[in-house]
């Protein structure tokens, strides 16, 4: 496809979940969704919002290659899970005092896309994304709550990947 020819990835953040052609979902690398959006597209349809991260990781892994090339499911204050053809991971969010979660998902998705564009692996990019979202949740607002790259990378270095 065009992304392969250009040597790039197509990241799709399906927020809010709207009807998207199966062919578009199939080339998403990654498809980025929260738990509500995940269920809407058939990832973990029987899982609750607070199901264990391991269950969400397994659900994401179960659709890789069929629904999308890779999948990231954000779990809010619990972090995120990710899966691609090479494996599946849980990234636990660092404990922070959340002041306003508005825009935290956008910060995370933007950081994820930037790190993937740099050529980082999916699990490493998700670690950075989770750190960016955690930092954004500590301040009011959206853009004003977004941290610089150095601060995000410093927190990502202390973020657990399992």
């Amino acid at each position: 496809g065009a992304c392969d020819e250009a040597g790039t990835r197509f990241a799709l953040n399906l927020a809010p979940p709207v009807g998207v052609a199966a062919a578009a979902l199939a080339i998403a690398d990654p498809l980025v969704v929260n738990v509500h959006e995940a269920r809407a597209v058939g990832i973990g349809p029987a899982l609750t919002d607070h199901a264990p991260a391991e269950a969400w990781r397994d659900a994401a892994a179960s659709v890789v290659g069929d629904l999308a090339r890779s999948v990231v499911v954000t779990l809010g204050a619990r972090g995120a899970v990710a899966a691609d053809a090479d494996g599946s991971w849980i990234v636990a969010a660092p404990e922070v005092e959340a002041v306003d979660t508005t825009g935290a998902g956008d910060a995370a998705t933007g950081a994820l896309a930037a790190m993937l564009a740099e050529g980082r692996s999916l699990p490493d990019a998700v670690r950075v994304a989770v750190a960016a979202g955690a930092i954004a949740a500590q301040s009011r607002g959206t853009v004003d709550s977004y941290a610089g790259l150095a601060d995000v990378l410093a927190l990502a270095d202390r973020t657990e990947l399992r």
Side-chain angles (χ1 to χ4, degrees), residues 59-104:
S62 75
V63 300
V64 167
D66 293 323
L67 181 67
R69 290 183 179 181
S70 61
V71 175
V72 174
V73 179
T74 60
L75 305 176
R78 296 188 299 145
V81 299
D84 65 16
D86 295 327
S88 59
W89 306 270
I90 297 170
V91 179
E95 288 194 28
V96 298
E97 187 174 331
V99 173
D100 181 4
T101 60
T102 306

Side-chain angles (χ1 to χ4, degrees), residues 27-55:
I27 62 169
D29 190 19
L31 170 63
V32 182
V33 289
N34 66 26
V35 294
H36 305 286
E37 297 152 356
R39 286 190 298 265
V41 296
I43 301 169
L47 295 178
T48 66
D49 290 4
H50 302 290
E54 292 80 5

